[in-house]
């Protein structure tokens, strides 16, 4: 996080919130990344274009920010590919089971005071904290 400041975090959070509101106002859809991407795997008529545009924006925006001098540090994954793939599968399974991911439940669902999104987000956070505590302090990761 080479350029992290409270101001940059506030601006980034505001832009995420603004994009979620615009997507809801313009399409009536919730900005949950897993749902948007999942909709591309089993597309309905008339829903492909906005989904591709949203995913393309997620990919292109950091590249454009990097060209503007707001580069990011390269991601570091201090784990084996087996652990990374296993973790990814667990996240995907949990996302499907919870009916959405952290972006859909945490940003859009909580903003709408959805009880299931609040419950899902609390459970996501508790499990994440427990996982980090176990891997860093119990298993010495």
């Amino acid at each position: 996080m080479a350029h992290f400041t409270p101001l940059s975090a506030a601006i980034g959070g505001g832009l995420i919130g603004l994009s979620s509101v615009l997507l809801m106002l313009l399409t009536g859809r919730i900005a949950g990344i897993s749902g948007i991407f999942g909709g591309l795997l089993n597309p309905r008529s008339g829903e492909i274009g906005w989904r591709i545009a949203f995913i393309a924006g997620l990919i292109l925006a950091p590249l454009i920010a990097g060209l503007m001098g707001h580069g990011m540090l390269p991601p570091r994954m201090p784990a084996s590919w087996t652990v990374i793939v296993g973790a990814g599968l667990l996240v995907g399974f949990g996302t499907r089971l919870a009916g959405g991911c952290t972006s859909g439940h945490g940003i859009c669902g909580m903003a709408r005071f959805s009880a299931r999104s609040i419950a899902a987000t609390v459970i996501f956070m508790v499990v994440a904290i427990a996982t980090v505590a176990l891997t860093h302090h119990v298993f010495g990761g």
Side-chain angles (χ1 to χ4, degrees):
M1 291 190 259
H3 302 290
F4 176 81
T5 66
L7 180 61
S8 67
I11 292 170
L15 290 173
I16 291 170
L18 178 63
S19 69
S20 298
V21 168
L22 287 175
L23 184 66
M24 185 171 282
L25 287 175
L26 298 175
T27 68
R29 301 292 181 170
I30 293 174
I33 306 309
S34 62
I36 293 171
F37 187 76
L40 285 175
L41 302 176
N42 189 14
R44 293 185 196 158
S45 178
E47 292 202 352
I48 295 173
W50 72 266
R51 291 176 189 273
I52 289 174
F54 197 94
I55 299 294
L58 287 176
I59 295 168
L60 293 175
L63 297 175
I64 293 169
L67 292 173
M68 295 172 59
H70 300 283
M72 298 185 305
L73 295 174
R76 293 182 301 161
M77 298 295 285
S80 69
W81 279 103
T82 304
V83 170
I84 293 169
V85 169
L89 290 172
L90 287 173
V91 168
F93 183 75
T95 296
R96 198 68 170 166
L97 193 62
C101 60
T102 52
S103 58
H105 283 301
I107 297 169
C108 298
M110 291 201 34
R112 297 178 330 153
F113 302 110
S114 164
R116 76 181 192 124
S117 290
I118 292 169
T121 303
V122 168
I123 292 170
F124 293 157
M125 297 307 293
V126 168
V127 172
I129 291 167
T131 301
V132 169
L134 286 173
T135 58
H136 286 261
H137 301 295
V138 175
F139 299 115

